[in-house]
Amino acid sequence: MEHLVLQATLRDKATKGALNKSRSEGKIPAVVYGGGKPAQNIFVYSVEYEKILKSITESTIITLDLEGKKLNAFVKDHQRDPIEKDFLHVDFLEVQAGKKLHARVQIKLTGIPQGVRDGGILENPAHDIEVECDPSVLPERIVVDISTMGVNEPLHVRDLPQMEAVKVLSSPDMVIAIVKFVRQEVEEVAAPEAAEAAEGEAGEAAAEGEAAEGGEAKTAPAAEAKA
């Protein structure tokens, strides 16, 4: 993936009305902080931001071209209008070259597991891992081919491809994906329970029938004696 560049301009503090006017002109109020420097208030352009947002992950580093000054940063957060869905604000976290950072890297699974082809169901409990590295070697995502994965053969963090100069902080035993015969297990457990329940109901019905017959036999002689 090519390096992404986002044009930005400095902005002064403004009233709510002025900011809304800027938004109507296609500008998004934003702030860039980190890097050991004071936060800077900026504008980015909604058309450009919407475009890059479709192709970035939490660990994608983009370049903010701030009136000719280049800043490398993550998209840390953004807010949208709940009704109009327009962008209201964006937070950027600047990163410094040569200074290690902590980040979460997305895991992308590819291929159809053999276990799924055999009737199993793929479970994917973890979608990313935490790493520590220099910004220059931070991967945007980790791609793993799971087409050979069989049933009950979990993919752990320790099974992921090795990444040079990247330290994985997540537990090596954490499960990324596994294929299980979930439905079959549920059916196998449910069938004995249903049979036991049916047998229990039949036994209770038989006991109630016997009790009823015994009660009639005992009351009949008493009625004859009184007569």
Side-chain angles (χ1 to χ4, degrees):
M1 180 178 174
E2 62 179 307
H3 193 70
L4 299 172
V5 179
L6 196 61
Q7 298 297 318
T9 59
L10 289 168
R11 67 178 172 91
D12 296 324
K13 291 185 177 180
T15 63
K16 183 177 180 180
L19 290 177
N20 285 335
K21 184 176 183 297
S22 296
R23 293 186 183 101
S24 69
E25 296 172 348
K27 299 177 182 179
I28 310 173
V31 62
V32 55
Y33 56 90
K37 296 176 291 186
Q40 297 184 77
N41 295 318
I42 63 174
F43 282 119
V44 294
Y45 298 92
S46 57
V47 173
E48 290 185 3
Y49 184 71
E50 186 85 54
K51 183 178 179 180
I52 71 164
L53 196 60
K54 298 176 181 178
S55 57
I56 67 174
T57 69
E58 289 186 35
S59 58
T60 300
I61 297 177
I62 65 173
T63 296
L64 291 172
D65 186 342
L66 183 57
E67 300 179 356
K69 182 181 180 181
K70 304 295 194 300
L71 304 175
N72 291 324
F74 295 114
V75 174
K76 194 65 177 177
D77 193 17
H78 65 239
Q79 295 83 44
R80 286 182 184 265
D81 183 281
I83 299 175
E84 301 296 333
K85 303 302 181 183
D86 295 330
F87 291 105
L88 299 177
H89 194 270
V90 184
D91 291 351
F92 294 98
L93 175 62
E94 185 180 357
V95 297
Q96 292 178 297
K99 183 177 181 180
K100 289 187 177 181
L101 54 81
H102 288 191
R104 302 202 70 84
V105 179
Q106 180 188 82
I107 299 172
K108 181 179 180 181
L109 305 178
T110 63
I112 300 175
Q114 180 61 48
V116 171
R117 292 195 290 269
D118 292 337
I121 296 177
L122 175 66
E123 296 183 1
N124 182 200
H127 299 275
D128 54 39
I129 60 171
E130 187 176 359
V131 303
E132 179 186 65
C133 64
D134 186 89
S136 62
V137 295
L138 178 66
E140 288 190 13
R141 58 179 59 85
I142 301 170
V143 181
V144 185
D145 184 356
I146 58 172
S147 56
T148 61
M149 179 186 292
V151 176
N152 294 326
E153 296 178 357
L155 172 71
H156 296 93
V157 169
R158 61 174 175 268
D159 302 320
L160 296 175
Q162 295 294 312
M163 297 172 287
E164 186 176 355
V166 177
K167 180 181 180 180
V168 177
L169 301 179
S170 297
S171 169
D173 297 324
M174 185 172 74
V175 175
I176 303 297
I178 187 171
V179 177
K180 293 182 178 180
F181 283 128
V182 177
R183 293 177 182 172
Q184 179 178 332
E185 292 174 357
V186 170
E187 291 173 356
E188 289 176 352
V189 171
E193 290 179 350
E196 291 175 3
E199 291 176 1
E201 290 175 358
E204 290 176 2
E208 290 175 359
E210 291 174 0
E213 292 176 1
E216 292 175 359
K218 291 178 181 179
T219 55
E224 291 175 357
K226 183 175 181 181

